[in-house]
Amino acid sequence: MAKASEAKGKTRIQMEKTEKILAAALDVFSTYGFRGSTIDQVAQQAGLSKPNLFYYYDSKDAIHAELIERLLYTWLDPLHQLNPEGEPIDEICAYVHRKLEMARDYPRESRLFANEILQGAPRISSLIAGPLKSLVDEKTNVIQGWIDAGKIAETDPYHMLFSIWATTQHYADFDSQVQTLLPADKSKDRFKEAVAHLDRLFRKSLAPE
């Protein structure tokens, strides 16, 4: 969904074309990565001529930058919802659930982000060092407070978040492998079973001794 600042001053048709280009770019970038993608591929996927696409974006970098910025806001939202006043283990497991829902509902976005990180994050390093780091620092302080109060087991808050990201985003970034390796009767319900498995895993590991 376009932010208000993006929509301001655009006609309905311009907004529709912009969204069409971004949707096409998401397909292309998440499949081929930034380096392997071309403006021609994006234009073809969007059903637009190259000159028409250039009316909206002057480069592949500009399209990618807007996609990544939107993605970061989407990616931060589940962590924003971690409530310092809530029951700690329930709050952390609810975060795990939200991350799995994102893996299920936004697999292309997850792969786009993963491809960028694997390349050394050349186009999003400032976003990682800025809003993402600020939020992670804020929430790890909350988690450390729960640890100090004896509400959850002793753990490293940063590595706990990394573990949550690794176990949940795996179901988006490696979904084809997951579906291939699971028995046929489990593949269909893989996200439902993953929620149950990871909930048990984190509840047991976080229970105070």
Side-chain angles (χ1 to χ4, degrees), residues 3-153:
K3 298 194 289 289
S5 59
E6 295 170 342
K8 187 177 181 180
K10 289 185 178 180
T11 67
R12 180 183 59 81
I13 293 176
Q14 288 174 327
M15 290 173 62
E16 288 175 354
K17 286 285 181 69
T18 297
E19 294 304 315
K20 193 172 185 179
I21 291 168
L22 291 174
L26 178 58
D27 278 336
V28 173
F29 289 144
S30 64
T31 301
Y32 302 105
F34 179 81
R35 293 176 183 172
S37 301
T38 67
I39 283 287
D40 294 278
Q41 288 173 310
V42 175
Q44 182 177 13
Q45 183 72 15
L48 299 172
S49 68
K50 197 168 168 182
N52 196 354
L53 184 149
F54 277 131
Y55 174 80
Y56 295 92
Y57 294 96
D58 60 9
S59 67
K60 180 173 77 169
D61 289 83
I63 300 172
H64 190 268
E66 183 163 341
L67 275 176
I68 287 291
E69 183 178 359
R70 287 189 180 196
L71 173 59
L72 187 64
Y73 284 107
T74 302
W75 239 236
L76 294 180
D77 186 59
L79 189 54
H80 271 297
Q81 296 180 50
L82 190 75
N83 182 6
E85 305 303 320
E87 198 288 319
I89 293 180
D90 287 344
E91 286 296 323
I92 292 169
C93 287
Y95 175 57
V96 173
H97 293 192
R98 291 192 295 271
K99 288 294 290 179
L100 269 173
E101 288 171 1
M102 290 194 67
R104 180 194 65 204
D105 298 339
Y106 301 102
R108 296 175 304 164
E109 288 85 346
S110 182
R111 289 192 290 271
L112 175 69
F113 192 78
N115 281 331
E116 177 67 12
I117 297 298
L118 287 171
Q119 293 174 20
R123 287 161 291 276
I124 63 170
S125 56
S126 62
L127 295 174
I128 292 175
L132 179 56
K133 178 164 175 53
S134 295
L135 181 60
V136 166
D137 287 344
E138 174 192 335
K139 297 305 183 180
T140 51
N141 283 335
V142 170
I143 296 168
Q144 186 62 56
W146 290 337
I147 295 168
D148 294 342
K151 295 181 178 180
I152 62 175

